[in-house]
Amino acid sequence: MWSRKAPITFLLISTAYAACECGYRLRDTGARYTHILANNFTTYPNATSLNTNIAVDSFSSDWTVQSWSAGSDSQDPLPRRNDEANVYIEDGALVMQQIGYSAQDARANQSVSIAAIVSTEQDFLHGSFRTVFKVSDDRGSVGGFFWYHDDNNEIDIEVLTKESNTTTVHYTSHPSISSTGALIPGASVPTALTIPWTSYQEHRFDWSPENITFYQGTYQGSSVVHTTTINVPHVGGSVQMNLWADNSSWSGMPSTTTVTMSVQSILIYYNTTTSDNGTDNTFNTACNAAGGPSSKETVCWDTDPNVLAKAGAGTPGLRAWSELWTLGITLVATITAIVLA
């Protein structure tokens, strides 16, 4: 008969990840915003009828696919029709399309079949607005990611596929045309892309009370390419994405082949009108109850892997160990059992 001690160790770890009760801070600028909208379409199943499809109800809670028509006029020579069927999720991307428009369609003055989505949140006031998308190389459509209140308060990132290259993007703060019909200097600026718009890349603008700053690149490293103080809005509005053409001077004649705009993700850190001026009682109560913004656990960095994973950026997984300790190993227990043979 003999005996031995066999230590058996049980490691019980409960991690309390930050709930970001006091908002989100941008690592590159230091700005802090109260809210987040994040859609990582790389994790979505293939789906159609997005407004009502319960398999992707997280989409319909954030966005509404547009379904309406507009006639022609002097500024929009061709009628347009936003078709819900032109927006769907396929192979890890939200796809919007402008259906090919033939010469026969033009002679019959048929509506151009286009696509658009609008945020259900209608009160974005300042923030960091980001998306990863690409547009197919079919000439004659405009792909846009923009914030909108009205025609005099609008911030645009647009790709014009009519152009002879795939490396130009247009940044605009409206109005870009004066009441006399003249272009407002600096309101709309064509800028060279380092990556063609036919490839996935991050398009971003940060909007503060003082200026609008546009970025290009990836989540791992985007760079400032343009900053403007012209027509900086001071009211809340919606976020929209669209793909359209109407034979105007801006879009050119619609493509005769179907154009697609594929979106991998949308990530927006933002304030609302009330949170921007400090009177959002719901946000303030939750933040104070969690310890206030001075508590490291209540403010999330925009570079945090768990935050980025919501929008398909970075590598999902555990935080760095230093952050784990900060954000909470709440229980570690080691039990040694003596086993007698």
Side-chain angles (χ1 to χ4, degrees), residues 147 151-156 171-178 182-189 205-214 226-234:
W147 171 93
D151 291 348
N152 292 314
N153 294 273
E154 181 177 351
I155 304 169
D156 291 350
Y171 300 134
T172 307
S173 52
H174 289 274
S176 58
I177 300 175
S178 71
L183 294 176
I184 297 176
S188 187
V189 178
F205 63 89
D206 286 13
W207 165 33
S208 74
E210 296 77 31
N211 57 48
I212 306 162
T213 301
F214 296 88
H226 176 61
T227 300
T228 184
T229 58
I230 298 172
N231 299 330
V232 178
H234 299 288

Side-chain angles (χ1 to χ4, degrees), residues 74-244:
S74 59
Q75 294 189 10
D76 304 291
L78 289 175
R80 291 89 59 215
R81 184 181 67 252
N82 283 284
D83 288 324
E84 185 178 350
N86 288 343
V87 183
Y88 53 92
I89 297 172
E90 184 175 84
D91 297 333
L94 175 75
V95 181
M96 292 186 283
Q97 58 183 7
Q98 175 237 304
I99 302 300
Y101 192 76
S102 67
Q104 182 178 356
D105 292 331
R107 287 192 295 270
N109 199 37
Q110 294 292 318
S111 294
V112 187
S113 180
I114 58 175
I117 62 172
V118 177
S119 62
T120 54
E121 171 65 73
Q122 296 288 299
D123 189 24
F124 294 86
L125 179 62
H126 307 133
S128 183
F129 302 76
R130 313 171 184 193
T131 182
V132 174
F133 72 80
K134 66 178 181 179
V135 181
S136 63
D137 192 7
D138 298 280
R139 303 297 171 169
S141 198
V142 179
F145 173 61
F146 59 105
W147 171 93
Y148 183 83
H149 175 81
D150 59 28
D151 291 348
N152 292 314
N153 294 273
E154 181 177 351
I155 304 169
D156 291 350
I157 296 177
E158 290 180 300
V159 165
L160 279 57
T161 71
K162 72 172 186 178
E163 294 180 321
S164 60
N165 63 70
T166 59
T167 54
T168 300
V169 65
H170 294 259
Y171 300 134
T172 307
S173 52
H174 289 274
S176 58
I177 300 175
S178 71
S179 58
T180 62
L183 294 176
I184 297 176
S188 187
V189 178
T191 304
L193 289 165
T194 57
I195 303 171
W197 42 253
T198 50
S199 297
Y200 281 118
Q201 62 190 291
E202 183 187 63
H203 297 271
R204 167 183 168 186
F205 63 89
D206 286 13
W207 165 33
S208 74
E210 296 77 31
N211 57 48
I212 306 162
T213 301
F214 296 88
Y215 296 74
Q216 295 174 13
T218 67
Y219 281 111
Q220 287 71 34
S222 58
S223 302
V224 175
V225 292
H226 176 61
T227 300
T228 184
T229 58
I230 298 172
N231 299 330
V232 178
H234 299 288
V235 291
S238 65
V239 175
Q240 305 186 26
M241 295 191 79
N242 61 12
L243 187 68
W244 62 276

